[in-house]
Amino acid sequence: GGTAVADTADVTDPAQVAAMVAGALERWGRIDILVNNAGILRDKSFGELALEDFRAMLEVHVLGGFHAAKAVWERMRAQNYGRIVFTTSSTGLYGNFGQANYATAKAALIGLMKVLDQEGRKNDIRVNILSPTATTRMTEALLPEEDRALLDPADVTPGLLFLVSAEAPSGVMLCAGAGCFARAEVVETAGIYLPPEDRSPETVAQRFNEISAPEGAATLPNAWAQTKKYVALAREAQKNRSGKS
């Protein structure tokens, strides 16, 4: 029951992206949802990776997503409503041999999503990121034949539609594939405080298991939360040391 219009704009060209957005506004009068899904693959091991292949990946994935989000941002702010989804990858989250350029681009989009989530909140612009796995033209040559039937792109769609709905969360990394859904998080361990006399690489090495301990690990709401956490940890440790002395 919907209506769709194809547009062949090159997402690496901000003028073409702006024209695409203008065309959508002219036809429908408003833009409520943006899904940044443009992508390419140019897989090579890092030693064989050419600068032009690295740059092309950033141009399409990162700048392509930036140009499209930038083109709709002020419109969404003015109407106090918007839903934006970027597309990352398990490669950006966890790495994959031969995909240094792809991983870098997909990880960069996570950072962009995290910032736009914070900046869009006061205008009800909810920004999320989807990490899909499916049989597509980009992946079919990489997947075993017996897996392809299980990885129908349509099985990712429910997750995407949730992320762009009126009830959508914001700042979420949703993973989807083969009918499975999971949520990825960037977490930081509780950490430890080292007094001045122990601040050496040797002490870090000796206590690395404590530094890495998963107990108390948490997702931080923003960058300053990390700074505040460290300051609080240091103050508490210093207070305890003063009390003992």
Side-chain angles (χ1 to χ4, degrees):
T3 302
V5 175
D7 195 300
T8 58
D10 180 350
V11 295
T12 68
D13 184 340
Q16 291 189 43
V17 173
M20 178 174 63
V21 169
L25 286 169
E26 182 178 357
R27 186 176 185 92
W28 287 295
R30 61 183 286 140
I31 294 178
D32 295 301
I33 296 168
L34 168 66
V35 179
N36 282 301
N37 194 48
I40 59 173
L41 279 180
R42 293 189 180 182
D43 292 355
K44 285 186 179 178
S45 64
F46 189 69
E48 302 297 323
L49 183 61
L51 176 59
E52 55 266 29
D53 288 332
F54 193 87
R55 180 175 284 123
M57 201 66 60
L58 299 180
E59 288 279 353
V60 173
H61 292 267
V62 183
L63 288 179
F66 169 82
H67 295 323
K70 189 71 171 174
V72 303
W73 189 256
E74 290 306 317
R75 173 68 58 167
M76 289 181 172
R77 286 185 64 196
Q79 66 194 23
N80 283 309
Y81 187 91
R83 301 290 183 265
I84 297 175
V85 173
F86 294 97
T87 307
T88 189
S89 166
S90 55
T91 300
L93 289 166
Y94 311 116
N96 203 33
F97 188 93
Q99 292 191 308
N101 51 357
Y102 186 69
T104 301
K106 287 306 189 183
L109 289 169
I110 296 172
L112 180 58
M113 177 276 286
K114 289 287 187 180
V115 172
L116 296 190
D117 157 49
Q118 295 176 40
E119 293 189 4
R121 289 175 191 172
K122 64 182 178 181
N123 296 110
D124 196 22
I125 304 173
R126 303 182 193 179
V127 188
N128 296 288
I129 203 160
L130 181 71
S131 178
T133 183
T135 302
T136 68
R137 286 176 296 172
M138 286 175 61
T139 62
E140 60 185 356
L142 306 174
L143 293 168
E145 186 175 352
E146 61 270 23
D147 293 349
R148 293 175 195 164
L150 292 172
L151 292 164
D152 186 344
D155 292 332
V156 173
T157 304
L160 174 64
L161 293 179
F162 169 63
L163 293 181
V164 298
S165 67
E167 296 76 28
S170 194
V172 164
M173 292 189 287
L174 182 67
C175 308
C180 303
F181 299 88
R183 184 171 173 178
E185 292 280 0
V186 176
V187 300
E188 181 170 302
T189 62
I192 63 172
Y193 170 81
L194 295 180
E197 64 272 17
D198 289 335
R199 291 174 195 166
S200 67
E202 290 79 13
T203 305
V204 172
Q206 291 166 4
R207 301 187 64 182
F208 193 66
N209 286 341
E210 292 177 69
I211 294 169
S212 305
E215 294 79 14
T219 298
L220 302 180
N222 53 53
W224 282 112
Q226 185 194 67
T227 301
K228 293 176 181 177
K229 169 188 165 183
Y230 294 167
V231 168
L233 188 62
R235 281 179 177 161
E236 183 64 23
Q238 290 172 357
K239 178 181 176 182
N240 292 336
R241 282 165 59 87
S242 297
K244 291 177 182 178
S245 61

